Amino acid sequence: MLPFVFLCVAAVPLPPGVSPDLFPGAADVPTAEVQLAGIAALYPGHILHAPPLANDPANTGRAPLISDLPRNTTYLRIYDLGAAHTLQSLSDALAKYPAVILDLRYVVADEKAAAAFAQVLSRAGLASAPLHGLGEMPEPDALPGPGVQDANHTPPVVLAMVNGKTAGPLEAWLEVFQEKESMLAVGTTTAGQPGIYDKYLGFPDYYIIKGELQPESGSLVGIGLKPRFLVEVTPEQNYLAYTSVERGTVDIASMLRHDRTTAVATPAGTGAAATTTTTTVEAADPVLQRAVDVVAALQVLGRVPSSTTTGAAKAPANATSSPVER
């Protein structure tokens, strides 16, 4: 914590010769708050002027939504990553299916839940890079690796759908699996809050980071995890696609792009039968569609098992990458 002298209250000092009329209300702002805002600007994500993201309490203990998708792929929409039945569903899917899509949008997971999630991935044979705890964040336990019963099991293709509301130490774990290409993220950049926050002494509207999980590749605080497959989608589009399923008005498969066949009458007198044209209907959930497209490309190419030396086979950029990727 910063020295007490930092928290003293005084008017904002303006440089000599600067008219206070150009800074209305500055005389009423404590100097300490200006300094605090300055530190927050210098170290994005380390000091927040709003509470850190938290998981929706309504999702506590909620079982994942599971759906079969094309190409022998299963989809799991995760609500509470810390729930035992969630981890069991994930473990079962990783053992059964060659491709698993995890929807982690709007999921916030603390260090305990995120570590349990990482252990399930590790037992399924997914490799990860080193990860360290800084400050008050404890050093994570070593991952168990695949068990004897999984010795001959080829790790599945695992894609994680994420967005700007995916937050917590989960972000760091996703990053270290993505570094080894054993898990690839799809969507938009995550929140950049892979740590522990506490209220700033003397300023209840501010929260300061007290510890973080940090990959060896660098801190994600204020930056977030950048998905390997970025998708151009607005927060509003993302939310609408996500909540359409939550409202129960549509199922997961209907959110994918599909072809619509329409009958077209031929001109009179040609003697030809009516013909048809096929129109591609845009996907209702572009992030999910991108994930399915990546699975299809990797399967067509014959994805090799993930390892620390070879990693997963990559799909051609023109098949899976968006214009903003990399």
Side-chain angles (χ1 to χ4, degrees):
M1 190 63 62
L2 296 180
F4 176 77
V5 65
F6 175 79
L7 300 176
C8 65
V9 177
V12 175
L14 296 176
V18 174
S19 171
D21 295 337
L22 299 175
F23 296 85
D28 299 323
V29 180
T31 302
E33 185 169 354
V34 174
Q35 293 174 314
L36 187 57
I39 295 175
L42 288 173
Y43 297 91
H46 291 72
I47 297 177
L48 308 177
H49 198 189
L53 293 176
N55 217 38
D56 185 348
N59 287 333
T60 301
R62 187 177 177 186
L65 172 64
I66 304 174
S67 177
D68 290 333
L69 293 178
R71 306 189 71 86
N72 202 18
T73 301
T74 192
Y75 167 97
L76 277 77
R77 174 170 290 190
I78 305 296
Y79 298 104
D80 181 0
L81 201 55
H85 50 70
T86 296
L87 298 177
Q88 185 60 55
S89 295
L90 173 59
S91 180
D92 293 343
L94 294 173
K96 180 178 179 181
Y97 292 91
V100 178
I101 295 175
L102 304 177
D103 195 339
L104 295 169
R105 292 175 294 182
Y106 306 101
V107 173
V108 181
D110 62 18
E111 62 273 22
K112 182 178 178 180
F117 167 73
Q119 288 181 10
V120 173
L121 296 183
S122 179
R123 288 193 184 98
L126 277 65
S128 62
L131 186 64
H132 303 287
L134 298 181
E136 295 183 10
M137 180 71 75
E139 192 77 8
D141 294 334
L143 295 180
V148 176
Q149 69 276 15
D150 298 318
N152 297 319
H153 173 65
T154 300
V157 172
V158 180
L159 300 176
M161 297 168 59
V162 298
N163 68 353
K165 300 295 184 178
T166 304
L170 171 63
E171 297 177 71
W173 279 115
L174 292 174
E175 170 66 21
V176 295
F177 280 98
Q178 181 168 257
E179 285 180 25
K180 289 296 184 180
E181 297 193 342
S182 59
M183 184 285 307
L184 299 173
V186 183
T188 58
T189 303
T190 61
Q193 298 179 6
I196 304 169
Y197 289 83
D198 199 2
K199 287 187 176 181
Y200 198 105
L201 182 62
F203 292 89
D205 293 338
Y206 285 87
Y207 295 79
I208 187 168
I209 193 166
K210 305 296 287 294
E212 67 164 302
L213 276 184
Q214 186 176 111
E216 287 194 345
S217 57
S219 176
L220 298 180
V221 177
I223 300 172
L225 162 72
K226 180 179 179 181
R228 183 62 50 84
F229 299 98
L230 283 166
V231 181
E232 290 186 11
V233 59
T234 66
E236 293 76 18
Q237 289 173 315
N238 228 338
Y239 181 77
L240 180 61
Y242 189 90
T243 55
S244 293
V245 175
E246 291 299 290
R247 291 193 299 269
T249 56
V250 298
D251 59 20
I252 295 298
S254 69
M255 303 300 287
L256 296 173
R257 181 176 59 241
H258 59 282
D259 292 337
R260 180 177 60 205
T261 302
T262 307
V264 179
T266 57
T270 62
T275 60
T276 60
T277 58
T278 300
T279 303
T280 299
V281 179
E282 184 178 356
D285 190 339
V287 180
L288 176 60
Q289 182 63 59
R290 176 59 58 81
V292 172
D293 289 344
V294 172
V295 169
L298 292 176
Q299 290 178 342
V300 167
L301 291 173
R303 179 192 187 277
V304 296
S306 301
S307 72
T308 56
T309 55
T310 62
K314 298 180 182 179
N318 61 1
T320 59
S321 299
S322 72
V324 298
E325 185 185 342
R326 297 187 183 90

